[in-house]
Amino acid sequence: MTRSVAIELVRNIGIMAHIDAGKTTTTERILYYTGVLHRMGEVHEGTAFTDYMDQEKERGITITSAAVTCKWHDHTINIIDTPGHVDFTAEVQRSLRVLDGAIAIFCAVAGVEPQSETVWHQANQYHVPRIAFVNKMDRVGANFPRVLDMMRSRLGANPVAVQLPLGAEDTFEGVIDLIDRTAIVFDRDQGEKFEIVEVPDDMKSAVEVARQTLVEAVAEHDDVLLERYLSGSDITSDELRLGLRKATMLLKVTPVFCGSAFKNKGVQHLLDGVIAYLPSPVDVGYTHGYSLADQANEEIRQPADDESFSALAFKIITDPFVGRLTFIRIYSGNIKAGEQLYNVTNDKKERAGKIMRMSANKREELEAAYAGDIVAIPSMRFTRTGDTLCDPKRPILLENIRFSDPVINQAVEARTLADQEKLTESLHRLSEEDPTFRFHTDAESGQVIISGVGELHLEILVDRLKREFNVPVKVGKPQVAYRETITSFAKAEGKFVRSNAGKNQFGQTTIELRPNDPGKGLEFRNELVPGALPEKYIKSAEQGALEALKVGPISGYPMIDIMAVLIDSAYNEEDATETAYAVSSSIAAKDACRLANPVIMEPVFHVEVVTPEDYVGEVIADLSSRSGMVQGISQRDILQVVTALVPLSQLFGYVTQLRSLTQGRASYTMHFHGYEQAQRRA
């Protein structure tokens, strides 16, 4: 069986933007015009095709990336509609890893919004070529040139308009194509129908200026065009398109379109732009990975059907009808239904029993899938997000997807004992789907702690536990896990003498406690003269001392970073017992602990805040108010990076406060740094 569409005619694209910029509405219109839908759904009515989860319909936001396949002018377009809310950036991240190009959507009124910045910088990291669509040109306050200026200043991008709006706000009636110098006027009511007319006289000079800017931007990255431009020759539309395609794929420029997805204006021409300027898998070129035998040795796979099979699993979902579905992007070779695959990451064999093309939550079974395809395979037991699947005869390890660590925790517990096992199983399934969600049982409190990247993220997950998995849970806040340690040397003697049922027990030890190096934990050292005490009693003394140090003298927290040293002992061969030496050592350690100036230690996290320059002052002031110690400020692209050490107890609710301080434009990551003495706070 051969592929139905040549790989050169395949486009794998994502649609990305800030929440409420119109991503899902644009996707709906694309599906309607490409014949996938016969009726357009609306986000505000909860009928959008790609927003199929209950939580998405209720909130009017996208939570998971939905994969959809459609056709336009003999091309196959695989689209992933990604979330816009900052709590779901991992969904965008894993989508960008497997996509070849993207459409960045901006609201014509709000321009470049905070989440637009986040996903734009993520796309830069993955070197994803983009075209831009300025949406909502019919809204009051729409300003096309201002959006281009914001793209330059906030994103550090090089946007070039390929269209100009014909009118704005309630007079928006069409667009002017700068490449062909024509005007496209849409039907006033629906916009599905349009006619191509001459550019109005009052716009001709503006069109020529804008076209000149476009030609200059393209010629700058194409020597042949630059020579023709400098010699004064007229550059044809086809030459300009070809040059613009090259510059876009090199990430030198971003072609900008405009329209109103809600009013069906401009979407067809945006689709033409996807085909004209975004790359096919062949344009992206080979995929690099690593040899299993030697990970320093790079291997490559060409995007061809006759290459060895290689694919990356980038998403796992639980489908109510099919069960566990693994989404894969095929980089090379082909796969037929029923074939065996090799999961290099886990060293496991998997079987592709069925291959499905997904259109949101609708499924179409395929006999085979080829290089460049994005498909779903049900019932893969061992595969996780970021795993490489390949031909067992020619293994290759593709680069994994890196996700930011969870930054917010909550405690959950099942309402009944009967639901406890179900809760653990459901949390396992959710953590398989979402790599930024983790859970563990706290050994000290016995609480189940769930961790995510934001409050909405955890709210949605708890909601899914209740609805999808039918596990009612109670939600609370976890306590900070404090520790205790000592700050000075101290020693004490412990003595245990007892007579029980005619049997005497005797043990006597002197223990000295010393502060240990940070991160060393609890250690024991024997400094007795060799032969002063038999080895088995030394072992008992060690066990007793370390057991005593598990609970601190101030608040009963576990103790850390202490060296317990056995410096003296008395020995009575007749009455000595292991129990007596363990108890005497325990008494000595506890008494010494109280004398060694014990203190409470708290977990301190290394926090990195990435913020636009305008908000650096507010971010530093807020970190200082949280007892944070600012370590430094550095620059990353056009953003500033503030690093600080902050006590965990001061970081609860920080994600919300940071968004409030920076109008949602800053993001942060944190990881455990160590324990430091807790500060007394008023």
Side-chain angles (χ1 to χ4, degrees):
M1 185 180 169
T2 55
R3 62 187 308 147
S4 55
V5 173
I7 192 168
E8 292 81 6
L9 304 180
V10 173
R11 300 287 183 274
N12 290 315
I13 64 163
I15 298 187
M16 58 188 214
H18 186 84
I19 191 167
D20 222 21
K23 294 178 307 304
T24 302
T25 303
T26 304
T27 308
E28 290 291 310
R29 300 307 183 258
I30 287 172
L31 296 181
Y32 177 73
Y33 289 123
T34 55
V36 174
L37 295 181
H38 300 294
R39 178 185 173 276
M40 287 178 274
E42 303 298 351
V43 176
H44 60 275
E45 292 173 6
T47 55
F49 182 66
T50 53
D51 283 355
Y52 56 87
M53 288 170 64
D54 289 339
Q55 293 86 349
E56 293 178 312
K57 291 175 181 176
E58 286 168 12
R59 291 172 169 82
I61 62 170
T62 302
I63 292 167
T64 62
S65 307
V68 192
T69 301
C70 58
K71 294 195 183 301
W72 184 252
H73 297 336
D74 301 325
H75 288 66
T76 293
I77 305 176
N78 295 312
I79 303 173
I80 296 188
D81 172 32
T82 58
H85 195 285
V86 68
D87 280 9
F88 305 103
T89 47
E91 286 287 334
V92 184
Q93 212 171 327
R94 60 173 157 195
S95 302
L96 287 172
R97 169 68 178 81
V98 297
L99 294 173
D100 302 327
I103 302 173
I105 298 182
F106 302 98
C107 171
V109 183
V112 177
E113 295 173 273
Q115 185 62 3
S116 317
E117 292 183 61
T118 307
V119 294
W120 189 272
H121 295 307
Q122 283 178 331
N124 282 345
Q125 284 173 10
Y126 287 111
H127 305 289
V128 176
R130 277 141 280 174
I131 61 175
F133 182 61
V134 179
N135 192 22
K136 304 188 180 183
M137 281 303 305
D138 57 324
R139 288 264 302 272
V140 175
N143 188 329
F144 184 70
R146 187 171 71 91
V147 178
L148 296 185
D149 288 342
M150 288 177 82
M151 286 178 72
R152 288 185 195 98
S153 61
R154 285 197 176 184
L155 304 177
N158 183 17
V160 290
V162 291
Q163 293 178 340
L164 287 182
L166 197 53
E169 301 180 352
D170 56 350
T171 63
F172 177 67
E173 57 177 347
V175 295
I176 292 171
D177 185 329
L178 295 177
I179 293 178
D180 289 333
R181 295 184 175 101
T182 55
I184 301 159
V185 180
F186 297 99
D187 180 78
R188 276 203 73 81
D189 297 327
Q190 269 296 359
E192 290 174 45
K193 296 177 185 158
F194 59 87
E195 56 178 322
I196 297 172
V197 297
E198 276 192 29
V199 174
D201 291 340
D202 61 337
M203 292 279 296
K204 280 183 176 169
S205 61
V207 166
E208 286 310 311
V209 170
R211 193 178 195 275
Q212 189 80 350
T213 305
L214 171 61
V215 170
E216 285 171 10
V218 173
E220 206 177 306
H221 307 290
D222 188 311
D223 293 342
V224 177
L225 282 185
L226 183 60
E227 201 174 307
R228 302 241 351 245
Y229 171 66
L230 293 173
S231 67
S233 305
D234 189 38
I235 293 169
T236 67
S237 298
D238 288 343
E239 287 172 332
L240 192 49
R241 281 194 189 90
L242 193 61
L244 184 55
R245 177 179 176 78
K246 283 182 191 167
T248 304
M249 290 197 289
L250 290 170
L251 270 65
K252 299 295 185 187
V253 300
T254 304
V256 184
F257 296 77
C258 60
S260 167
F262 184 60
K263 296 285 176 65
N264 308 311
K265 295 177 179 176
V267 177
Q268 303 99 312
H269 305 94
L270 178 65
L271 276 168
D272 291 340
V274 167
I275 289 175
Y277 307 120
L278 291 182
S280 72
V282 173
D283 296 316
V284 174
Y286 67 83
T287 300
H288 73 89
Y290 304 97
S291 160
L292 279 191
D294 177 13
Q295 293 214 1
N297 187 12
E298 189 175 89
E299 291 217 358
I300 62 169
R301 294 283 187 275
Q302 297 294 346
D305 298 340
D306 54 1
E307 260 274 23
S308 297
F309 175 76
S310 68
L312 189 76
F314 69 96
K315 183 176 170 63
I316 290 162
I317 65 166
T318 304
D319 186 283
F321 303 104
V322 184
R324 193 170 183 270
L325 273 176
T326 305
F327 281 82
I328 66 168
R329 158 71 198 264
I330 302 174
Y331 286 99
S332 63
N334 63 80
I335 177 181
K336 294 178 181 61
E339 273 189 355
Q340 195 175 69
L341 308 175
Y342 176 46
N343 183 327
V344 181
T345 317
N346 289 336
D347 191 22
K348 298 278 188 186
K349 293 215 169 110
E350 295 272 25
R351 186 168 294 282
K354 290 180 181 174
I355 301 169
M356 296 180 170
R357 176 170 285 139
M358 301 295 288
S359 291
N361 61 342
K362 306 278 192 300
R363 297 164 297 280
E364 173 199 347
E365 279 197 41
L366 304 173
E367 288 180 37
Y370 301 90
D373 286 349
I374 291 177
V375 292
I377 299 176
S379 310
M380 294 185 95
R381 294 171 56 207
F382 307 109
T383 303
R384 302 280 179 272
T385 299
D387 286 1
T388 301
L389 296 163
C390 65
D391 182 343
K393 292 173 191 157
R394 259 195 93 197
I396 182 174
L397 183 64
L398 301 177
E399 191 180 337
N400 204 332
I401 310 172
R402 292 184 182 87
F403 297 104
S404 52
D405 290 329
V407 293
I408 199 162
N409 303 329
Q410 268 185 319
V412 296
E413 63 177 65
R415 289 193 178 274
T416 65
L417 276 173
D419 286 331
Q420 189 62 48
E421 198 175 318
K422 206 171 168 187
L423 172 64
T424 308
E425 187 189 323
S426 304
L427 291 172
H428 266 296
R429 285 167 68 184
L430 285 172
S431 65
E432 282 179 359
E433 284 186 31
D434 185 348
T436 58
F437 170 69
R438 292 176 202 160
F439 74 97
H440 70 278
T441 303
D442 190 286
E444 292 152 34
S445 66
Q447 287 179 308
V448 175
I449 308 294
I450 59 173
S451 307
V453 293
E455 286 159 78
L456 177 64
H457 185 209
L458 290 184
E459 185 190 320
I460 296 286
L461 288 164
V462 169
D463 198 31
R464 288 186 65 195
L465 277 176
K466 292 173 182 173
R467 291 196 199 186
E468 276 178 49
F469 298 97
N470 202 21
V471 182
V473 290
K474 290 186 278 188
V475 183
K477 282 189 179 177
Q479 300 300 309
V480 173
Y482 290 102
R483 297 287 185 268
E484 293 182 31
T485 193
I486 59 171
T487 55
S488 62
F489 285 60
K491 62 182 176 181
E493 183 184 84
K495 191 172 183 181
F496 183 82
V497 181
R498 185 159 299 177
S499 179
N500 189 13
K503 168 72 176 156
N504 294 330
Q505 292 194 61
F506 173 82
Q508 183 178 327
T509 53
T510 303
I511 298 286
E512 183 176 72
L513 298 184
R514 304 168 187 170
N516 208 353
D517 294 335
K520 288 278 191 170
L522 301 177
E523 291 184 336
F524 180 85
R525 184 186 296 167
N526 170 30
E527 289 187 357
L528 293 178
V529 175
L533 192 65
E535 187 64 33
K536 64 178 180 178
Y537 299 131
I538 293 172
K539 286 278 183 201
S540 297
E542 178 180 353
Q543 185 186 339
L546 295 181
E547 194 66 36
L549 295 176
K550 284 185 177 175
V551 180
I554 303 173
S555 300
Y557 296 120
M559 301 201 78
I560 55 169
D561 303 336
I562 299 174
M563 171 74 75
V565 185
L566 178 61
I567 59 171
D568 196 9
S569 72
Y571 176 55
N572 178 337
E573 187 177 356
E574 195 176 316
D575 296 335
T577 65
E578 290 176 45
T579 303
Y581 277 96
V583 174
S584 70
S585 180
S586 174
I587 293 166
K590 282 182 178 174
D591 289 347
C593 211
R594 282 188 280 272
L595 300 170
N597 298 319
V599 292
I600 290 179
M601 306 289 281
E602 63 183 341
V604 172
F605 277 67
H606 181 273
V607 178
E608 183 179 276
V609 183
V610 181
T611 175
E613 196 166 356
D614 304 356
Y615 305 106
V616 169
E618 287 92 332
V619 167
I620 290 173
D622 183 60
L623 288 171
S624 300
S625 74
R626 294 171 183 271
S627 306
M629 286 177 57
V630 175
Q631 304 285 290
I633 304 168
S634 58
Q635 191 153 352
R636 184 182 298 165
D637 295 333
I638 57 171
L639 302 170
Q640 298 292 320
V641 181
V642 180
T643 53
L645 296 177
V646 189
L648 177 62
S649 58
Q650 301 298 299
L651 286 170
F652 288 117
Y654 181 58
V655 66
T656 310
Q657 174 69 6
L658 182 66
R659 286 175 197 164
S660 168
L661 278 175
T662 62
Q663 298 177 15
R665 292 176 62 194
S667 62
Y668 84 107
T669 55
M670 66 187 219
H671 61 263
F672 179 67
H673 172 73
Y675 283 91
E676 290 186 7
Q677 192 171 333
Q679 304 295 316
R680 292 192 179 276
R681 298 184 184 88

